Amino acid sequence: MPGPITTYLTCRRARGLDTFIGDPGKIGAGHGPAYLKLLISKLRAAGTPALGIDPHPDNERAIKVYAKLGFKADCEVESEWGRALLMSLRWARQPTL
């Protein structure tokens, strides 16, 4: 089972995601992509305009999963917690009727 996920509100109702699988034995079993797809779907349906996630630049497995889910690499940054690759997922606004 995937570990906890945290979403935090950023500017203009966009959300940042912090997540981890938890048990290292569960990595590679498809749990992460499955629950991220579900989370993304729920956040999009709730009107969230964009999502951000910031894996370590050396975490190729996570970056590949996020890219398959539609996240695009924006830039690499250095923070008090170390290096991070900022990635974002944006979708076109849904027309209001």
Side-chain angles (χ1 to χ4, degrees):
M1 194 65 148
I5 187 161
T6 302
T7 67
Y8 51 91
L9 193 59
T10 62
C11 62
R12 300 184 187 195
R13 296 187 11 232
R15 296 263 177 189
L17 305 177
D18 282 325
T19 187
F20 65 96
I21 292 297
D23 178 0
K26 302 294 184 189
I27 293 174
H31 299 297
Y35 94 98
L36 284 171
K37 281 182 191 178
L38 179 62
L39 178 66
I40 290 166
S41 175
K42 287 183 177 207
L43 289 170
R44 185 174 183 186
T48 302
L51 298 172
I53 201 158
D54 59 352
H56 190 279
D58 295 339
N59 190 344
E60 294 175 13
R61 176 175 266 162
I63 292 167
K64 186 176 178 179
V65 167
Y66 302 146
K68 280 186 175 182
L69 293 170
F71 285 86
K72 305 287 186 219
D74 293 319
C75 64
E76 190 173 317
V77 297
E78 184 73 39
S79 74
E80 63 185 277
W81 302 283
R83 294 171 40 226
L85 176 64
L86 302 183
M87 301 181 77
S88 60
L89 173 61
R90 299 176 179 94
W91 38 81
R93 292 186 119 182
Q94 298 296 319
T96 55
L97 302 176

